[in-house]
Amino acid sequence: MPNLDNQKNRLTSSEITSLWAQYIQDTMSVCISKYVLAKVKDSEVYSLFEFTLELAEKLDLPIGFTDKGVNLDAPPLFTDTFWLVYIHEMTMHGLAGYSISLSVSARKDIRDHYYQCNIDAMDLYNKSIEILISKGIYQRSPYFSKTERGHSITEWGYAMDLFGDKRQLNSMEAGNIYFNLKKSIAAKALDGC
């Protein structure tokens, strides 16, 4: 965590906001990780949450979520597979948040902090996706055939094809649809829990 006692380099509003949001998210991560470690049986998922806990416990400063916020004796809420997908999805959100926080920070110690947060989150992302792939759980986005040559878009009809000729989706559109569909399926599955 950056040194916040340095009076000559006051924090900006965006730096304060991003530090506080990260702190709350990380203290929540400690509670969830401790609960998962008490319940999960899959050794790879266990190892992943041990790593997550190690990263999140490097914190100090204000009180966010604490051990009082989690009941380790509660029965398991979800499967090991759920927790594996959960940590992977949360890491993607963390990567996005850390990148934004880095980009709105001016102080070097704050930027250095988010730089390291990004590296740690990338390590966690790589570990989680490798386990997902090894277990056959990870679903890749759609593949596209290679075109012979690039095409320039010269007509408005490409973007406004609601009433005209239908066209194939481009890779960005297909990827976005896939990503949002994946989130919808996960949310619907949780709705039944």
Side-chain angles (χ1 to χ4, degrees), residues 45 48-49 79-92 128 132 137-138 182 186:
V45 177
L48 198 59
F49 274 88
T79 65
D80 291 4
T81 300
F82 169 86
W83 289 117
L84 176 56
V85 171
Y86 167 85
I87 199 66
H88 180 72
E89 295 287 330
M90 293 306 290
T91 303
M92 288 192 302
S128 68
L132 285 164
I137 298 170
Y138 186 78
K182 198 165 119 175

Side-chain angles (χ1 to χ4, degrees), residues 17-181:
T17 300
S18 61
L19 286 169
W20 180 249
Q22 179 204 353
Y23 185 79
I24 292 299
Q25 291 163 359
D26 284 348
T27 57
M28 180 184 74
S29 176
V30 169
C31 292
I32 291 171
S33 294
K34 285 182 177 180
Y35 175 81
V36 173
L37 289 170
K39 302 301 176 194
V40 76
K41 295 181 181 18
D42 185 300
S43 62
E44 289 181 304
V45 177
Y46 188 93
S47 174
L48 198 59
F49 274 88
E50 267 187 327
F51 181 65
T52 303
L53 183 61
E54 182 184 311
L55 292 176
E57 282 187 325
K58 293 179 183 175
L59 304 170
D60 52 9
L61 294 176
I63 296 173
F65 288 92
T66 67
D67 286 344
K68 294 177 184 176
V70 62
N71 179 359
L72 299 180
D73 296 322
L77 295 174
F78 303 106
T79 65
D80 291 4
T81 300
F82 169 86
W83 289 117
L84 176 56
V85 171
Y86 167 85
I87 199 66
H88 180 72
E89 295 287 330
M90 293 306 290
T91 303
M92 288 192 302
H93 292 291
L95 282 166
Y98 293 145
S99 295
I100 291 169
S101 296
L102 175 70
S103 69
V104 299
S105 298
R107 279 180 44 167
K108 184 173 180 350
D109 59 340
I110 305 291
R111 287 183 285 116
D112 290 346
H113 171 70
Y114 284 118
Y115 178 82
Q116 186 60 51
C117 288
N118 272 294
I119 290 171
D120 292 342
M122 287 186 286
D123 286 345
L124 183 55
Y125 178 86
N126 282 334
K127 288 178 183 199
S128 68
I129 199 167
E130 287 302 321
I131 296 171
L132 285 164
I133 290 170
S134 74
K135 292 182 178 300
I137 298 170
Y138 186 78
Q139 292 182 313
R140 298 174 191 267
S141 59
Y143 287 100
F144 269 66
S145 298
K146 184 180 173 194
T147 59
E148 293 298 318
R149 61 183 183 88
H151 300 282
S152 295
I153 300 169
T154 58
E155 299 175 12
W156 277 100
Y158 183 85
M160 311 293 279
D161 66 350
L162 295 174
F163 304 108
D165 294 331
K166 298 299 179 198
R167 63 171 175 79
Q168 292 180 342
L169 294 175
N170 63 42
S171 61
M172 183 183 291
E173 292 165 336
N176 287 335
I177 290 169
Y178 168 78
F179 182 77
N180 289 320
L181 181 60

